[in-house]
Amino acid sequence: MKDFINKLYRNHSLIYKGLLFVCTTFVIVYLFPKSGKFKYNFEKGKPWQSENLYAPFDFAIKKSEDEISAEKKAVTENATLYFDLDNGIKSAVDEAYKQEFQKTFADSVPNRRLNHLYNAGQAIINDIYDYGVLDENYNFSNDRTIAILDGRVKKQDGLFSDLTKQDHLTTIINSDLSKENLQDYKTVFTSLFFDLIQPNLKFDKVFTDKALQESLDKIIYTRGSIERGTLIVAKGEVVQGDKFQILKSLELEYQSQVWNQTSFYWVLFAYTLLVSLALLMLLLFLRKYRPDVFDNNTKVTFIFFNIFLMVFLTTLVINYNSKYIYVVPICIMPLIFKAFFDARLGLFAHVITVLLLGFIVPNSYEYMFLQIIAGIVTILTVSELYKRANLFISVGQITLIYIVAYFAFFVIHEGTIETLEWTVFGLFILNGLATLFVQPLIYAYEKLFGLVSDVSLLELSDTNSKLLKELSNVAPGTFHHSLNVANLAEASANEIGANAMLVRVGALYHDIGKMKNPTYFIENQSTAINPHDELSAKESARIIINHVIDGIEIARKNNLPDRVIDFIRTHHGTSLVYYFYVQHKKDFDETDTADFTYPGPKPFSKETAILMMSDSIEAASKSLKEPTTTKIDAFVENIIDKQIEEGQFLNANITFKEIQSIKKVLKLKLANIYHLRIEYPE
């Protein structure tokens, strides 16, 4: 059991990567659509690019969305309106009319005339309440059919225009009195009925909506059917009209009817295989070409998180509306990876992500082509991301590439620019604006994952920063030495294509440990007194060696990134403090070199190897007497060749050719520092 636990502990890094790989795979598959994907791509009005397509099974032709919408609209507009009738209102109005009529008309009116007036008024009431009086003025069309319900029992049918509106009472009264030649009594009857007439119809919205829904449910969503084996579309035939609708019907049927529970699991399994293959290729790439990234679980997590984030954002947009697919700034990812790692890793991860998205986006070939081309342009154009102008220029170029590529695809498909969708160009511009968000995103990632970008390195290179200010005050000689080393190292890094900004920052901070005992280092000694004269060679060596350990402590206390601390740890590698070693050897025959050896580790990158060379050359150059070109050349060759013989660069991915280029730069820089002139013969 103990051996098993020890084995797990030794392999915990690989186990973590395995769990991360599995979790990322399942989360991405979870985001993907789970139905089968129709294997043909087609667009309305464009030629059919695949082979002749025959119906694989019987299926119904589904109506288009426009047809269904039109039918629903017609049903809605022609639906019957239901009104509830209050029977008691009419009887109450009749009774009230009898009483008010006697009060209104004086006894002086002859009986015959009085009966005529009474009957005319009763006729007006019957006319008003023929269908009923509405309780309010509803905004319905006059030709809408209506049904009057008496206790949920349909009593009468008609049109909405048959119902009496309260603002139409005067019109009805005037019309009926004109027929009876009683216009002289218009004012009297209008005043009388104004107080008598009460509404007896109320719109029943609940019942009307229920009846409407029943009518909508009866709509048939198909028209005709296609039998198995029927030719649907031939190669090269333009997809439009019924052909397009038949293909859409087949696609929908394929995704809904064909997929049973067993098929669902097979689709899930197939998606898992493809996604895991893509992510496995990324892990293999990291292991073979970026072992330093592969060994760092935080960096691997960071890469997988960004891939998941792009898939997540894209699926969100597709679920909302797939026509906005190009708003998602996919090119942010290669920008971020280039800022934290390198261009090759950024492009590889970008391609893997685009391949994953090809499963779920419409017109996948067009989408993948545009995104891969845009990713390549991103990698090729964006340099020195910390310079704002460079980012704006690169984003403009990326947006232009999107627009040009989309325009070309559109012309190929349509053969004309008359129907060009200009709104898509607006989406590309929004994409470019979203890509500018990369700067704050990089800052957030630095805080979340503890990574370092060129933007942070630029801030650290400021000699007015708190730590470098302290170094210049406490150990001015060391500060001046660090500046010279930074200049030498930066020039060397530019010569071989290494990260010049990183090596410059590393050079500025590599000797901050000397602040603890500044006077024990010769560059900070302003008097003839040397404190090492009072110490043994072993004690002196320990103080010199400890400036590496002290530097690491100071760096961690000031929250310097690990990439910068690496330069402090490695700038002396495992070399000897040779001067004190020789001094000790004069007094003791047997000397243990461990007491005079730096703890290491050896440089493990081009940048750390450059710093070791530059630091040794700059420090030793102070001992040159009457420097000449010949002396400087021999001096540089001897120091670097000795480091090679000691195996200091065995762990660094630097070649002999690159070392020769660095020697050339260092010789030239030293010659410029000492202002050498041509040596004339005497």
Side-chain angles (χ1 to χ4, degrees):
M1 184 65 182
K2 187 177 180 181
D3 293 339
F4 177 73
I5 293 174
N6 290 335
K7 190 174 182 180
L8 284 179
Y9 179 77
R10 287 195 302 271
N11 296 292
H12 73 278
S13 181
L14 285 175
I15 294 172
Y16 174 82
K17 291 181 183 68
L19 291 173
L20 179 67
F21 170 79
V22 172
C23 291
T24 307
T25 299
F26 281 116
V27 170
I28 291 176
V29 171
Y30 174 78
L31 294 174
F32 282 179
K34 303 304 184 297
S35 61
K37 185 175 176 62
F38 194 51
K39 65 178 179 178
Y40 300 103
N41 287 321
F42 61 93
E43 292 183 56
K44 191 173 184 179
K46 297 179 181 179
W48 178 257
Q49 300 293 334
S50 305
E51 69 280 359
N52 293 354
L53 178 62
Y54 295 89
F57 45 76
D58 296 343
F59 65 94
I61 304 173
K62 299 185 184 299
K63 295 176 182 176
S64 67
E65 291 184 4
D66 291 339
E67 290 176 318
I68 294 172
S69 296
E71 287 191 32
K72 287 183 176 180
K73 183 179 179 182
V75 169
T76 303
E77 290 178 350
N78 296 318
T80 301
L81 304 173
Y82 290 87
F83 294 87
D84 291 325
L85 175 66
D86 187 344
N87 271 322
I89 298 293
K90 173 68 165 53
S91 302
V93 170
D94 287 339
E95 187 63 30
Y97 172 67
K98 289 179 184 179
Q99 297 174 8
E100 293 299 324
F101 182 83
Q102 294 175 1
K103 296 177 183 178
T104 302
F105 292 94
D107 296 337
S108 58
V109 179
N111 288 336
R112 188 175 177 182
R113 187 69 169 172
L114 195 63
N115 289 334
H116 187 195
L117 289 173
Y118 180 82
N119 292 333
Q122 190 64 56
I124 292 172
I125 293 174
N126 293 335
D127 199 8
I128 289 173
Y129 284 101
D130 184 20
Y131 280 85
V133 180
L134 292 171
D135 61 337
E136 60 180 275
N137 291 329
Y138 296 99
N139 188 26
F140 295 121
S141 174
N142 284 331
D143 58 354
R144 290 287 296 272
T145 58
I146 58 103
I148 297 174
L149 303 176
D150 186 3
R152 296 299 179 189
V153 177
K154 187 189 290 187
K155 182 178 180 181
Q156 199 171 7
D157 290 325
L159 299 176
F160 185 69
S161 58
D162 296 330
L163 304 180
T164 302
K165 291 81 174 174
Q166 294 188 34
D167 55 356
H168 291 171
L169 290 176
T170 304
T171 304
I172 297 173
I173 293 169
N174 292 340
S175 176
D176 285 2
L177 290 176
S178 296
K179 293 176 184 177
E180 299 294 332
N181 294 319
L182 296 173
Q183 293 93 331
D184 296 340
Y185 296 93
K186 179 172 65 175
T187 304
V188 178
F189 274 105
T190 301
S191 176
L192 174 63
F193 288 131
F194 183 82
D195 295 325
L196 288 180
I197 300 301
Q198 298 294 325
N200 66 339
L201 290 180
K202 184 177 181 181
F203 178 57
D204 192 335
K205 188 176 186 307
V206 174
F207 197 88
T208 301
D209 289 344
K210 183 178 179 181
L212 173 60
Q213 189 59 50
E214 290 178 356
S215 299
L216 290 174
D217 292 341
K218 293 178 182 177
I219 292 176
I220 299 174
Y221 289 82
T222 61
R223 51 176 177 82
S225 61
I226 299 293
E227 295 183 359
R228 180 178 180 179
T230 303
L231 176 64
I232 296 175
V233 62
K235 185 175 183 179
E237 188 176 355
V238 177
V239 178
Q240 57 186 358
D242 287 342
K243 294 287 182 186
F244 177 77
Q245 197 54 42
I246 291 172
L247 285 170
K248 289 297 292 183
S249 301
L250 177 59
E251 182 180 27
L252 293 172
E253 195 71 22
Y254 190 86
Q255 294 176 350
S256 60
Q257 179 179 328
V258 173
W259 298 101
N260 53 31
Q261 192 70 14
T262 304
S263 299
F264 171 81
Y265 288 122
W266 276 112
V267 170
L268 208 62
F269 175 71
Y271 269 139
T272 304
L273 278 181
L274 293 175
V275 173
S276 60
L277 278 175
L279 296 180
L280 181 62
M281 294 305 104
L282 180 59
L283 283 176
L284 292 176
F285 171 84
L286 294 176
R287 185 174 184 181
K288 185 173 179 63
Y289 296 106
R290 299 293 182 272
D292 55 325
V293 177
F294 181 81
D295 292 336
N296 190 316
N297 285 339
T298 301
K299 293 179 179 179
V300 176
T301 305
F302 173 72
I303 293 170
F304 275 58
F305 173 77
N306 276 276
I307 293 174
F308 160 75
L309 182 62
M310 288 301 144
V311 174
F312 175 70
L313 291 176
T314 305
T315 51
L316 276 183
V317 173
I318 290 175
N319 291 334
Y320 175 70
N321 193 332
S322 61
K323 73 178 183 179
Y324 298 124
I325 189 70
Y326 288 111
V327 172
V328 182
I330 300 295
C331 287
I332 274 187
M333 193 169 66
L335 278 175
I336 290 172
F337 286 166
K338 187 176 181 182
F340 288 116
F341 306 114
D342 59 81
R344 190 176 180 186
L345 172 56
L347 182 59
F348 194 90
H350 176 73
V351 171
I352 291 292
T353 306
V354 172
L355 290 176
L356 291 174
L357 294 176
F359 296 140
I360 58 175
V361 296
N363 302 322
S364 56
Y365 176 77
E366 177 181 321
Y367 176 86
M368 292 166 64
F369 182 90
L370 260 66
Q371 296 294 4
I372 290 175
I373 290 295
I376 293 172
V377 171
T378 303
I379 293 297
L380 295 178
T381 59
V382 177
S383 59
E384 298 177 326
L385 190 61
Y386 53 85
K387 295 182 179 179
R388 289 171 295 179
N390 288 357
L391 179 61
F392 278 98
I393 293 169
S394 297
V395 167
Q397 292 172 332
I398 294 166
T399 305
L400 180 62
I401 290 298
Y402 270 127
I403 291 173
V404 170
Y406 175 80
F407 175 81
F409 267 106
F410 187 88
V411 172
I412 289 172
H413 289 155
E414 299 290 339
T416 179
I417 62 171
E418 293 179 0
T419 57
L420 190 63
E421 298 178 7
W422 297 100
T423 54
V424 180
F425 294 159
L427 298 181
F428 291 135
I429 294 173
L430 288 176
N431 184 300
L433 294 175
T435 306
L436 293 174
F437 188 69
V438 68
Q439 286 283 20
L441 194 59
I442 286 174
Y443 177 79
Y445 279 149
E446 286 179 339
K447 299 304 178 186
L448 287 173
F449 291 92
L451 301 174
V452 183
S453 69
D454 286 349
V455 180
S456 293
L457 292 176
L458 181 65
E459 294 174 355
L460 290 171
S461 67
D462 183 8
T463 54
N464 288 317
S465 65
K466 179 183 176 182
L467 190 55
L468 291 181
K469 271 284 188 183
E470 185 180 354
L471 177 63
S472 66
N473 292 329
V474 175
T478 299
F479 177 72
H480 186 261
H481 159 72
S482 298
L483 285 176
N484 290 335
V485 173
N487 291 331
L488 293 174
E490 184 178 21
S492 301
N494 283 324
E495 182 69 20
I496 66 170
N499 191 331
M501 179 63 72
L502 176 62
V503 77
R504 179 175 182 82
V505 173
L508 289 173
Y509 291 91
H510 78 285
D511 269 345
I512 57 174
K514 292 181 179 180
M515 287 193 295
K516 193 167 185 179
N517 296 297
T519 56
Y520 284 86
F521 300 90
I522 191 167
E523 67 266 24
N524 298 313
Q525 294 172 1
S526 57
T527 64
I529 300 173
N530 189 344
H532 287 288
D533 295 340
E534 306 296 327
L535 303 175
S536 67
K538 186 179 289 189
E539 289 174 326
S540 295
R542 180 175 55 79
I543 292 174
I544 298 297
I545 290 171
N546 279 347
H547 88 274
V548 173
I549 308 300
D550 295 335
I552 295 172
E553 291 177 358
I554 294 171
R556 294 201 185 282
K557 189 180 296 184
N558 287 271
N559 297 318
L560 289 184
D562 288 338
R563 290 177 75 184
V564 177
I565 294 175
D566 287 340
F567 287 92
I568 301 173
R569 295 166 56 224
T570 61
H571 73 278
H572 285 296
T574 55
S575 60
L576 277 173
V577 185
Y578 195 70
Y579 176 82
F580 292 110
Y581 174 70
V582 172
Q583 291 292 106
H584 187 74
K585 204 170 183 182
K586 290 178 183 178
D587 301 327
F588 302 94
D589 294 334
E590 295 183 4
T591 302
D592 185 3
T593 59
D595 294 329
F596 298 89
T597 304
Y598 283 98
K602 296 177 181 179
F604 48 79
S605 66
K606 289 181 181 180
E607 289 77 16
T608 51
I610 289 171
L611 178 62
M612 172 179 270
M613 289 183 250
S614 302
D615 181 42
S616 301
I617 295 297
E618 204 285 330
S621 68
K622 298 294 189 296
S623 63
L624 281 173
K625 307 295 183 184
E626 299 180 359
T628 63
T629 302
T630 305
K631 284 184 179 180
I632 288 175
D633 290 353
F635 168 76
V636 171
E637 291 286 346
N638 289 337
I639 290 180
I640 295 180
D641 286 347
K642 185 180 179 182
Q643 290 174 337
I644 294 173
E645 289 174 7
E646 292 175 355
Q648 297 296 336
F649 306 133
L650 290 177
N651 296 335
N653 58 336
I654 192 167
T655 64
F656 283 113
K657 182 179 180 180
E658 289 170 334
I659 292 175
Q660 289 301 118
S661 298
I662 292 169
K663 287 180 179 179
K664 178 182 174 182
V665 171
L666 293 175
K667 291 172 185 176
L668 180 62
K669 286 290 181 182
L670 285 180
N672 291 334
I673 290 171
Y674 289 104
H675 306 289
L676 297 182
R677 300 289 187 268
I678 298 173
E679 298 180 22
Y680 293 97
E682 295 181 359

